[in-house]
Amino acid sequence: MRASVTLDETIAERFAAIVGPRYALRDGKEIEPYITDARSRYETTSPLVLRPGSVEEVSAILKLATETKTPVVPQGGNTGLVGGGIPLVGQANAVMISLGRMNRIVDVDAASNTMLVEAGAILETIQKAADDADRLFPLSLGSQGSCQIGGNIGSNAGGTGVLAYGNTRDLVMGLEVVLPTGEVLNGLSRLRKDNTGYDLRNLFVGAEGTLGIVTKAVLKLFPKPAGTAVAYVGVKTPDNALDLLNRAKGAAGSGLTGFEFISETAMDFTIRHAANPTQPPLADPHPWTILIEVSSGRSEAEANEILESILGDALESVVIDDAVVAQSLAQQKAFWQLREDMSWAQKPEGASIKHDISVPVGSVPAFIEKADAAVLAIVPEARIVNFGHMGDGNLHYNISQPVGWDPHDFFAHEDAIHNAIYKIVGTFEGSISAEHGIGQMKRDKLAVIKDPVSLALMKRIKREIDPAGIMNPGKVLQT
């Protein structure tokens, strides 16, 4: 960590002059929303939040930051979950850059299935613009009403559509990026094929603002499904869920657009704390519940026929115990809303130790067995809130405090629980961060588990692109 120093007033005035006084926030109340993360795990300070309105202003900010060796911290919608978008404690001279003003949908090209957007565009706004053009932008997250596409790109966000469409990395065709020197990398390609050297775009997707600031992006669009069918399914074991997944893949192929895996505790929390009063989707509780979606490019009838065939076969084979199919579009949305509420429904239950891990899909049942045993050996009364995207092996393996415990006492076990879970993840050759990123939360752990050659190469890339070390220092890599 850099020494704690304050920002020189003359330098602060030079930064403020780039965006104008109105968009250079210095008052404590104005800055407050920017300096606490979404989970309230990190709270820091900043002397200045800049809200540029153009790529030229971003360029001037970074050029000045390199000249004066001033740390800069880019922030999107501040919905990140690993502390990547706020300064480290002690970085009292770090200037924050919020791209919320740069939020235009520049154009939608339905013929080429592309969209050009500015980095501050809200994900839900992008989804609607695609829908208005009879297209689909499939990135879908619980925070889509406030997260910005630049942040999604910086963290390589995942969400519920990865099974069919891939992570954010797979949805980005081209980027405009301002480098720490102020140079602007114009990579706004709409080409499906371009084999002219290194893929520079992918240096910045998932880099969490440590190499530059994304200011525009060309996104991939897809044809809208002609119809979808959605069901909740009850099963006894993770092995049953894996069996159902493989049956569904075989029957639906690329039409399997959702397969979400939910523990009984996670569903119970969500029913109790959902934003709107709701009933359990199934009449009786089940150890595990699956939210499955099938889409068809031909018709809703075909989607329902495929889904009902999958469920009928699974019932006959005693793979599933119960199922309910949504009978309307409104019910489909209600089913999905339950899943989207799951992340936030844990908060009323007290302190939570969270993991965003991935293992090979076929290893999910074995991981759960080992992880559950490890956690309960440390805190026998812990409540395991396990849910996630089983179709791509990504689990949000979260641990809620025992009933009646003090949060401070529970968090005293955090390191032991993290170490146990990450050790098990390692035995399956999995990842400690499937879709949330590294930020400051997992930086030190990454330094221990990452392949040494890979880690050294990452540091060399960082030094080459950002020799002054101004870009989001202390995130992802130790500095």
Side-chain angles (χ1 to χ4, degrees):
M1 184 186 299
R2 294 169 181 263
S4 177
V5 295
T6 57
L7 183 64
D8 180 85
E9 181 63 25
T10 301
I11 294 175
E13 290 296 336
R14 291 176 67 188
F15 277 116
I18 294 170
V19 298
R22 180 179 177 184
Y23 300 113
L25 310 183
R26 306 180 73 169
D27 178 78
K29 289 184 179 179
E30 290 183 316
I31 288 176
E32 188 174 347
Y34 297 90
I35 57 174
T36 301
D37 74 305
R39 284 180 174 162
S40 300
R41 292 296 306 273
Y42 301 97
E43 186 172 352
T44 184
T45 59
S46 176
L48 185 63
V49 176
L50 301 175
R51 301 187 66 232
S54 68
V55 64
E56 290 80 13
E57 290 182 359
V58 176
S59 173
I61 291 167
L62 293 194
K63 185 176 181 180
L64 177 58
T66 292
E67 175 195 328
T68 58
K69 292 185 169 51
T70 303
V72 294
V73 179
Q75 186 180 97
N78 197 18
T79 61
L81 301 175
V82 291
I86 62 174
L88 301 180
V89 172
Q91 273 179 349
N93 64 334
V95 172
M96 300 186 67
I97 303 176
S98 171
L99 298 188
R101 291 177 60 213
M102 298 173 62
N103 58 11
R104 291 183 305 144
I105 308 295
V106 181
D107 68 57
V108 180
D109 186 344
S112 65
N113 285 302
T114 63
M115 179 188 296
L116 177 61
V117 302
E118 290 185 318
I122 300 296
L123 176 55
E124 198 167 67
T125 303
I126 293 171
Q127 294 168 342
K128 184 178 185 305
D131 186 65
D132 289 345
D134 198 34
R135 292 294 183 268
L136 171 71
F137 183 64
L139 184 62
S140 181
L141 311 171
S143 59
Q144 60 196 29
S146 56
C147 65
Q148 297 173 9
I149 194 64
N152 301 147
I153 292 168
S155 62
N156 188 28
T160 57
V162 173
L163 174 62
Y165 299 101
N167 284 53
T168 300
R169 186 182 306 281
D170 302 298
L171 304 176
V172 174
M173 296 184 70
L175 293 176
E176 176 184 84
V177 184
V178 181
L179 302 179
T181 57
E183 297 168 286
V184 179
L185 173 65
N186 182 0
L188 293 173
S189 173
R190 297 177 190 256
L191 298 176
R192 296 280 170 171
K193 301 176 77 173
D194 180 8
N195 198 7
T196 55
Y198 302 139
D199 185 356
L200 300 178
R201 167 198 58 180
N202 271 322
L203 277 176
F204 300 97
V205 180
E208 301 185 49
T210 61
L211 299 179
I213 297 181
V214 172
T215 47
K216 289 191 186 75
V218 176
L219 306 176
K220 292 181 184 177
L221 304 181
F222 297 83
K224 288 169 62 176
T228 60
V230 179
Y232 265 110
V233 182
V235 300
K236 289 186 176 68
T237 69
D239 284 303
N240 292 146
L242 182 60
D243 190 341
L244 178 62
L245 172 64
N246 288 322
R247 289 168 184 263
K249 283 182 174 179
S254 61
L256 182 64
T257 49
F259 198 95
E260 298 294 300
F261 180 61
I262 304 162
S263 69
E264 184 175 358
T265 303
M267 180 60 75
D268 177 56
F269 283 9
T270 305
I271 294 297
R272 281 196 274 141
H273 302 299
N276 298 306
T278 187
Q279 296 296 316
L282 297 170
D284 298 311
H286 294 267
W288 300 94
T289 306
I290 309 299
L291 175 60
I292 182 171
E293 179 183 86
V294 172
S295 299
S296 167
R298 295 184 180 87
S299 68
E300 183 177 340
E302 182 181 68
N304 276 294
E305 182 181 343
I306 294 170
L307 179 57
E308 288 172 5
S309 174
I310 293 168
L311 299 179
D313 176 64
L315 277 167
E316 186 176 337
S317 303
V318 201
V319 173
I320 67 176
D321 296 327
D322 195 8
V324 57
V325 178
Q327 298 301 303
S328 65
L329 181 60
Q331 193 172 27
Q332 287 186 13
K333 290 181 177 179
F335 279 10
W336 272 110
Q337 190 59 51
L338 272 176
R339 171 60 185 85
E340 298 296 350
D341 286 344
M342 206 151 283
S343 295
W344 310 112
Q346 298 161 79
K347 197 164 188 178
E349 295 291 332
S352 180
I353 297 172
K354 299 180 183 292
H355 306 88
D356 164 45
I357 63 91
S358 64
V359 295
V361 175
S363 298
V364 167
F367 166 80
I368 292 172
E369 181 180 4
K370 291 179 179 295
D372 285 1
V375 168
L376 296 177
I378 298 169
V379 183
E381 298 170 272
R383 295 174 292 170
I384 299 173
V385 188
N386 186 4
F387 62 96
H389 322 296
M390 189 172 191
D392 51 60
N394 174 198
L395 297 177
H396 300 296
Y397 190 86
N398 301 334
I399 321 297
S400 283
Q401 68 177 61
V403 174
W405 274 41
D406 181 271
H408 182 268
D409 294 337
F410 180 58
F411 279 131
H413 299 281
E414 185 170 27
D415 286 344
I417 289 175
H418 282 325
N419 290 337
I421 296 304
Y422 294 151
K423 183 177 180 180
I424 295 167
V425 168
T427 66
F428 291 104
E429 299 184 333
S431 171
I432 66 169
S433 179
E435 62 180 8
H436 292 167
I438 298 297
Q440 56 183 291
M441 178 181 287
K442 301 180 182 181
R443 180 199 65 191
D444 294 343
K445 181 61 66 175
L446 181 73
V448 174
I449 68 167
K450 191 74 172 175
D451 166 64
V453 175
S454 298
L455 189 66
L457 186 57
M458 288 170 63
K459 290 181 177 180
R460 285 161 60 188
I461 291 169
K462 168 71 171 172
R463 287 194 298 268
E464 180 63 30
I465 295 177
D466 181 22
I470 65 160
M471 291 304 309
N472 213 3
K475 314 299 170 46
V476 183
L477 296 171
Q478 292 174 319
T479 57

